[in-house]
Amino acid sequence: MNLVFLGPPGAGKGTVAVKVSEELGIPHISTGDLFRKAIKDQSELGKKVKSILDSGELVPDDLTVALVEERLNQGDTGKGFILDGFPRTIPQAEALDTISTLQMAVNFSVADEVLVDRLSGRRVCKNCGATYHVKFAPPRKEGICDSCGGELYTRQDDAPEAIKNRLQVYYRQTQPLIDYYKDKGIKTDIDAAGSPEQVLSATLKALNS
Ligand code: AP5
Ligand code: ZN
């Protein structure tokens, strides 16, 4: 199943995608994770995009589409894939249509106040990338990853100013994709305000129907 997960920053796309990926045996492809890996590795791409990610602006479409195309050609997408955080603009969606055929675009929605709470309390493992939340999904030991013992950090773009900018960028550039996929007849809405378990079960139900 070829899937796209849409939704504002902090809606919980990544959290659900990890579980759905395990459940369906298809890769979870997050453009944000790919960019953060490039930054960590100090690659050419990483050097180009660091300041863009820190500010919450979008990476240019040509760089992003090339990255996704390369990832989709790695040979593990025979059973399908979950694209999380891509596409984020109409030109990206149009480019994706020339690369692959989607079965569903899942749109996760949550009120802005909840998004700010989720983003400002998020902590990520430096080592394996696992995501926690100080209130909603705390690690067993403060500041330490449950799965690998790595140190947890706060993403630079989870600072208050960057969160504000990311929400503005989302409403201006990404929200129009909801109608884009609605017009294609493949959009499904998920209320992402509930607990992670509730959101996961609503998503699996939608995918199975
Ligand atoms: P990206 O990494 O994609 O960031 P994002 O879209 O802002 O999404 P997030 O990762 O912040 O949120 P999420 O919905 O995955 O939430 P999560 O599950 O972590 O992109 C980062 C940057 O990369 C962009 O700003 C841009 O610069 C660049 N970029 C990426 N893709 C691009 C593209 N296509 N084009 C151009 N540029 C691009 O959950 C958030 C928190 O809430 C966590 O702490 C979690 O534990 C908690 N939580 C999750 N679900 C629940 C729940 N149900 N209840 C309570 N807490 C929950
Ligand atoms: Zn870890």
Side-chain angles (χ1 to χ4, degrees):
M1 212 176 205
N2 298 343
L3 305 171
V4 157
F5 280 10
L6 290 176
K13 304 178 293 296
T15 301
V16 184
V18 168
K19 301 284 185 194
V20 173
S21 159
E22 283 169 13
E23 190 77 26
L24 302 185
I26 55 177
H28 166 213
I29 303 173
S30 153
T31 38
D33 286 350
L34 294 174
F35 286 131
R36 281 184 290 277
K37 168 135 194 346
I39 294 170
K40 193 174 163 199
D41 294 346
Q42 300 189 333
S43 69
E44 277 312 304
L45 175 68
K47 285 178 200 157
K48 267 192 211 156
V49 303
K50 181 170 186 336
S51 63
I52 303 178
L53 263 85
D54 287 350
S55 68
E57 290 297 315
L58 294 185
V59 174
D61 288 336
D62 55 345
L63 285 181
T64 309
V65 170
L67 182 75
V68 170
E69 195 162 8
E70 191 190 316
R71 177 61 188 85
L72 289 177
N73 284 330
Q74 272 176 20
D76 60 350
T77 55
K79 275 175 70 185
F81 54 77
I82 303 168
L83 280 172
D84 161 16
F86 179 92
R88 257 186 164 81
T89 63
I90 297 282
Q92 288 182 14
E94 290 170 346
L96 180 60
D97 286 341
T98 69
I99 304 172
S100 195
T101 305
L102 297 175
Q103 275 76 52
M104 210 182 275
V106 186
N107 176 42
F108 295 91
S109 51
V110 199
D112 278 6
E113 312 82 76
V114 179
L115 298 173
V116 174
D117 266 1
R118 287 187 184 175
L119 292 171
S120 47
R122 173 164 56 188
R123 300 292 181 270
V124 181
C125 175
K126 258 185 188 163
N127 184 41
C128 73
T131 297
Y132 297 86
H133 191 283
V134 289
K135 264 194 287 184
F136 309 131
R140 285 193 293 271
K141 206 167 154 206
E142 198 185 324
I144 305 289
C145 177
D146 289 349
S147 4
C148 77
E151 190 190 331
L152 305 186
Y153 78 106
T154 304
R155 269 170 51 176
Q156 193 133 357
D157 61 347
D158 283 343
E161 269 314 299
I163 291 179
K164 223 162 109 191
N165 193 32
R166 284 159 70 202
L167 288 174
Q168 280 171 3
V169 167
Y170 168 77
Y171 286 114
R172 200 169 55 236
Q173 303 200 58
T174 307
Q175 203 184 32
L177 291 179
I178 299 174
D179 278 343
Y180 180 89
Y181 288 119
K182 185 174 169 208
D183 292 346
K184 288 185 178 288
I186 58 167
K187 184 199 63 135
T188 300
D189 291 307
I190 298 288
D191 174 3
S195 68
E197 294 74 24
Q198 286 168 333
V199 179
L200 174 64
S201 94
T203 307
L204 290 173
K205 200 168 148 204
L207 294 177
N208 286 323
S209 60

